[in-house]
Amino acid sequence: MGMNEVCSWLKEHDRFAVMGHVSPDGDSYGSTLAMCMALRNAGKQAFVLADPVPHLYAFLPGQDMICRLENCPFEPEAVIHLDIASPDRAAYALAKPLPSLLIDHHQTNAGFDDVMLIDASASSAGEILMRLFEHAGAAIDRDMAACLFTSISTDTGSFQFSNTTAETMRYIGVLIDTGLDISRLSTLIFRRRTLARTRLTGEVLTDMFVSEDGKITVGSISLSMMEKYGAVHADTETIVNYLVEVEGVCMAALLEEGEDSVKVSLRSNEGYNAAEVAVSFGGGGHMLAAGATLHDTTLASAEEMVKKALRKAVG
Ligand code: AMP
Ligand code: MN
Ligand code: MN
């Protein structure tokens, strides 16, 4: 579906709920906040359904637009899903189905809303939003720019991943033109971490599994490790990158124990498809970065399953 259809769908409605995915990342928070700001700037009513922003993203503007399902400021009549690979990944399931719009960039997305804008070539949901805003002639103010920069810079690994295109960088230029201080934001996102996150990273890396041929690394985070360091989920987000950056590694996984599930983050280097492995576990994602959530398993047996799957994928 095209931009025109999305624009007319947006014009048709007035009271929006905007949401991203569970275990929200920078793209999820950044794109939902930017969308909500754009809707409000256009005279619409909108709020973001999400958990409160974690410490890592504390600088994000517009956090007063965020609420939980139980304390929404009004009854929405339409819902916008952003950065959500499949319906089970949505941050919230609404009590009754509403007219819906999906904007996403996961290659595994099969589509699940009334109106959809899915482009796997886009670096991030934030980048698709910038295209939409450009198409609609919607102005981008500095607050929106901070959110969109967070979206795009986190999903491109600070513009280092292969999903960074000339178009991505052109949009970053547009964001800089709003007066955004990208050096300050990049420092906050990529070059500052809590002591908890630093120490947790150290323990994961010290104890990671390395296959005999050095092509596979697997790290694990138990609930007790999280407790020991006083860490939260956002503190674990980038640890998997260290695992796949070890010389000679083809594919890496980071497992994070939850209350009743295990979250698997998969990363691969060029030539190896992490999304395929994620899909085999009921998850999804992109070629080089994918994930899945395992239920009815322990951390130890999940580790074994994942090691086997990586062995098969890497050969
Ligand atoms: P993560 O490892 O959580 O950073 O996720 C890497 C990529 O895989 C992101 O684009 C996620 O949206 C996607 N992903 C992670 N977990 C899942 C899942 N359970 N199902 C589908 N996609 C996922
Ligand atoms: Mn995401
Ligand atoms: Mn994304």
Side-chain angles (χ1 to χ4, degrees):
M1 286 171 217
M3 291 286 178
N4 286 333
E5 196 179 347
V6 173
C7 288
S8 36
W9 185 90
L10 289 167
K11 282 199 188 98
E12 271 166 34
H13 300 285
D14 285 307
R15 297 191 317 278
F16 298 89
V18 183
M19 72 171 89
H21 55 79
V22 289
S23 308
D25 54 14
D27 190 23
S28 187
Y29 277 118
S31 62
T32 50
L33 287 168
M35 186 73 203
C36 195
M37 288 175 190
L39 290 167
R40 289 188 181 191
N41 287 347
K44 309 273 184 182
Q45 282 186 283
F47 58 81
V48 174
L49 272 177
D51 286 340
V53 168
H55 177 72
L56 172 61
Y57 299 119
F59 61 85
L60 280 172
Q63 291 179 41
D64 58 331
M65 304 186 303
I66 295 179
C67 62
R68 290 202 163 102
L69 208 48
E70 55 276 17
N71 55 13
C72 300
F74 57 85
E75 181 93 7
E77 43 113 348
V79 59
I80 300 176
H81 291 125
L82 286 153
D83 197 37
I84 305 176
S86 53
D88 57 304
R89 293 271 298 158
Y92 290 90
L94 297 176
K96 64 171 193 222
L98 295 177
S100 56
L101 164 67
L102 169 66
I103 297 180
D104 186 47
H105 68 118
H106 291 89
Q107 93 186 15
T108 55
N109 201 324
F112 53 87
D113 277 340
D114 303 335
V115 177
M116 292 180 276
L117 200 55
I118 302 172
D119 183 353
S121 75
S123 67
S124 51
E127 185 172 325
I128 305 179
L129 279 189
M130 287 202 69
R131 272 188 222 159
L132 179 65
F133 297 158
E134 189 173 61
H135 182 89
I140 295 176
D141 59 32
R142 200 178 300 175
D143 280 352
M144 285 167 71
C147 298
L148 293 165
F149 182 82
T150 301
S151 262
I152 300 171
S153 70
T154 53
D155 266 19
T156 56
S158 201
F159 316 107
Q160 292 173 42
F161 298 160
S162 55
N163 58 358
T164 309
T165 63
E167 192 184 12
T168 312
M169 294 315 244
R170 188 169 68 77
Y171 284 133
I172 296 303
V174 171
L175 299 181
I176 293 173
D177 279 340
T178 67
L180 188 71
D181 183 347
I182 66 161
S183 167
R184 178 184 150 264
L185 282 196
S186 298
T187 298
L188 292 173
I189 299 170
F190 299 102
R191 292 188 289 119
R192 283 292 175 277
R193 47 199 83 79
T194 58
L195 189 59
R197 187 169 150 207
T198 307
R199 289 208 193 284
L200 177 68
T201 304
E203 183 168 336
V204 174
L205 298 184
T206 300
D207 294 343
M208 70 182 172
F209 162 86
V210 185
S211 64
E212 247 170 65
D213 59 2
K215 291 183 177 176
I216 294 166
T217 46
V218 179
S220 280
I221 302 174
S222 63
L223 283 171
S224 63
M225 283 162 74
M226 296 292 283
E227 202 176 325
K228 177 170 152 193
Y229 296 114
V232 296
H233 170 71
D235 294 322
T236 68
E237 228 183 86
T238 50
I239 298 179
V240 67
N241 295 332
Y242 290 96
L243 302 176
V244 78
E245 286 167 10
V246 177
E247 265 187 5
V249 165
C250 304
M251 215 182 277
L254 179 71
L255 280 69
E256 185 181 341
E257 185 180 29
E259 291 298 339
D260 50 14
S261 61
V262 175
K263 184 182 184 314
V264 184
S265 282
L266 296 159
R267 296 291 184 276
S268 59
N269 283 311
E270 220 56 64
Y272 298 88
N273 192 345
E276 230 168 68
V277 179
V279 167
S280 77
F281 286 119
H286 317 278
M287 174 95 171
L288 304 183
T293 307
L294 307 181
H295 296 277
D296 305 314
T297 180
T298 61
L299 187 58
S301 58
E303 275 171 29
E304 290 317 306
M305 277 193 317
V306 168
K307 279 183 205 167
K308 272 197 199 123
L310 293 188
R311 190 71 269 168
K312 211 171 128 207
V314 165

